Amino acid sequence: MKSWRAISVFAATLACIFSIALLWPRAARRLEASSFALAAPWAQAQQTPTIEDYNPKSTLVVPEHKIQRAKFPFIDIHSHHWNPTPEHVDQLVKEMDTINLQVLVNLSGGTGEELRKTVATMKGRYPTRFVVFANPSYDDINTPGYGQRAAERLAADVRNGAQGLKIFKNFGMDLKYANGERVHADDPIFDPLFEKCAELKIPVLIHIAEPSAFFDPWDKNNERWEELKEFPQRARPPSKYPPFETLMAERNHLFAKHPKVNFIAAHLAFHGNDLERLGKLFDTLPNMYVDIAAVLAELGRQPYSAHDFLVKYQDRVLMGKDIYEVNEYKWYFRALETRDEYFEYYRRRHAFWRIYGFQVPDEVLKKIYYKNALKLVPGIDAKAFPN
């Protein structure tokens, strides 16, 4: 009897020891987590952020040069101001003076009476501070003789003060004939219009296609995912649009068959992510130029390549901003003029990455800021700029 009781006590003791060994690590973890929560109450509310919410603040400590005003007076070759009022123009000039913006090019002049009104409102008030580009009308594109009429309208617009031609992004993508056929960017119907540009010696700033990522599947691998979520209409699925490479081929053919026209391809020709490819185009097409409007993030993520590219092709690149906001130009100044590291870009949807300054030499900076535009756009007063 005594031995049975001893065996029972021994078994109960073993069970207690086993339970303690099994449960102790879990209890210890709970105790540790409880102690941590008491020590750091903020941890209790911690949640996993979404990709859109995640916005880490850099702890990097490096020299910063937050430039507010361009080193040299500059020309913004790429801006949009539809039907501006006198009050808007007066405010523009006040803001332009604060950042050393000497000449602003309004690419949204329209044609006909709209063009005349815009020229009067902008250049009539400040003759040396603004340039206005005309835009083609496609209203009569299905009527025979369109190309010649478009050329005649442009000639009239130039007589009324236009200093260049701007072609918007629907060209090559959304523009269609009455039968539903897409109007190709190199369609011969436009030959008279471009021949008129050569005759008048005015540049053509042209927007063909969109960033190549907009033509790719909108999935976790797309680096413009956030922008496409914010603006789904910017996606270019193959069911509705031609492939990116098709548009590039049409654009390049257009430039090649009109060698006497100076074409400025907007937004680094959408090759800001492949500067080697853009350089080869420059080597092939001597009448091709680009602006850097709205693609600063492309250059800023590759500062060494950007610096070398801009030095090599310094005669082919123009300053531009696109969406006008006077407080956003300073990112361009900082990138072009300094070697600052790892700073935030001003529009997150264009870039979830940070950018770097690629500081180009002053002579290159002058060409980007104003000399190349003076070379291409007739009628700008060069006396406002240093030699």
Side-chain angles (χ1 to χ4, degrees):
M1 185 72 176
K2 289 182 180 180
S3 61
W4 172 250
R5 184 178 301 168
I7 291 172
S8 298
V9 170
F10 180 71
T13 302
L14 282 178
C16 289
I17 293 172
F18 179 76
S19 298
I20 291 170
L22 182 65
L23 298 175
W24 173 252
R26 189 179 304 172
R29 285 195 298 272
R30 287 176 180 169
L31 179 61
E32 181 181 11
S34 176
S35 300
F36 179 74
L38 290 173
W42 52 266
Q44 296 175 347
Q46 191 73 6
Q47 296 180 350
T48 302
T50 66
I51 188 173
E52 297 150 281
D53 294 333
Y54 185 59
N55 187 28
K57 300 303 178 183
S58 173
T59 61
L60 183 68
V61 179
V62 289
E64 295 182 309
H65 305 85
K66 296 183 178 181
I67 299 174
Q68 303 297 316
R69 180 179 173 86
K71 187 173 185 178
F72 303 109
F74 70 97
I75 298 170
D76 181 351
I77 196 70
H78 193 139
S79 195
H80 297 284
H81 304 267
W82 288 269
N83 300 310
T85 63
E87 294 76 18
H88 174 69
V89 174
D90 291 342
Q91 181 63 29
L92 275 178
V93 171
K94 291 178 182 178
E95 294 176 351
M96 290 162 61
D97 288 342
T98 67
I99 59 172
N100 215 6
L101 173 47
Q102 181 62 32
V103 176
L104 184 146
V105 179
N106 181 10
L107 299 177
S108 303
T111 185
E113 182 57 33
E114 181 184 1
L115 184 281
R116 282 194 293 271
K117 183 178 177 181
T118 299
V119 170
T121 304
M122 302 190 85
K123 293 180 66 65
R125 297 173 70 79
Y126 302 94
T128 65
R129 303 301 299 274
F130 295 106
V131 166
V132 179
F133 276 28
N135 311 125
S137 170
Y138 307 118
D139 292 345
D140 56 339
I141 196 170
N142 291 289
T143 305
Y146 167 79
Q148 189 57 44
R149 289 192 304 276
E152 292 169 356
R153 286 194 291 263
L154 176 61
D157 288 338
V158 170
R159 289 193 297 271
N160 289 322
Q163 292 164 259
L165 179 69
K166 167 62 163 73
I167 296 180
F168 293 111
K169 68 171 70 178
N170 59 333
F171 189 78
M173 285 197 298
D174 301 303
L175 184 62
K176 295 179 180 178
Y177 290 110
N179 63 5
E181 181 184 349
R182 179 176 68 89
V183 178
H184 294 195
D186 57 350
D187 194 312
I189 194 175
F190 297 102
D191 286 349
L193 177 63
F194 293 119
E195 290 166 6
K196 182 60 69 174
C197 291
E199 177 188 327
L200 297 171
K201 295 182 170 56
I202 60 171
V204 177
L205 200 151
I206 186 167
H207 181 144
I208 299 289
E210 292 281 61
S212 60
F214 288 5
F215 294 81
D216 295 335
W218 178 21
D219 58 21
K220 65 180 181 180
N221 298 309
N222 193 314
E223 67 180 1
R224 303 299 284 270
W225 182 92
E226 192 166 8
E227 182 170 2
L228 291 172
K229 184 174 188 297
E230 185 175 351
F231 299 100
Q233 68 275 18
R234 294 185 180 178
R236 298 291 181 257
S239 59
K240 294 180 61 179
Y241 294 95
F244 177 78
E245 293 301 336
T246 296
L247 292 168
M248 295 299 95
E250 291 176 5
R251 179 202 64 194
N252 298 343
H253 180 233
L254 170 67
F255 292 179
K257 72 173 179 172
H258 296 287
K260 294 183 179 180
V261 179
N262 289 321
F263 290 97
I264 305 169
H267 314 299
L268 283 171
F270 294 114
H271 295 320
N273 61 327
D274 190 349
L275 294 179
E276 183 177 359
R277 177 177 182 177
L278 181 54
K280 289 178 179 177
L281 273 180
F282 281 158
D283 296 338
T284 305
L285 300 167
N287 61 326
M288 177 182 177
Y289 301 80
V290 296
D291 68 37
I292 60 173
V295 287
L296 182 66
E298 294 284 14
L299 297 174
R301 65 171 166 172
Q302 50 179 332
Y304 307 130
S305 297
H307 173 276
D308 294 348
F309 176 84
L310 292 174
V311 170
K312 182 175 182 179
Y313 295 104
Q314 58 188 267
D315 298 315
R316 314 289 285 278
V317 182
L318 290 79
M319 173 68 176
K321 171 69 175 63
D322 198 0
I323 298 175
Y324 176 82
E325 170 50 63
V326 68
N327 294 315
E328 292 176 348
Y329 284 89
K330 57 191 175 185
W331 274 269
Y332 286 76
F333 308 152
R334 189 176 183 185
L336 286 162
E337 299 179 24
T338 81
R339 296 176 70 245
D340 282 4
E341 299 177 280
Y342 198 68
F343 56 94
E344 290 182 344
Y345 181 65
Y346 65 90
R347 188 162 287 126
R348 178 172 167 173
R349 67 173 179 261
H350 285 171
F352 60 84
W353 55 84
R354 293 173 182 254
I355 65 174
Y356 300 76
F358 38 86
Q359 191 178 39
V360 296
D362 281 358
E363 285 309 307
V364 175
L365 190 62
K366 289 177 182 178
K367 290 181 178 180
I368 295 171
Y369 273 171
Y370 62 90
K371 286 188 175 182
N372 292 338
L374 289 174
K375 177 176 63 177
L376 296 176
V377 183
I380 300 178
D381 184 7
K383 294 193 295 295
F385 301 90
N387 292 328

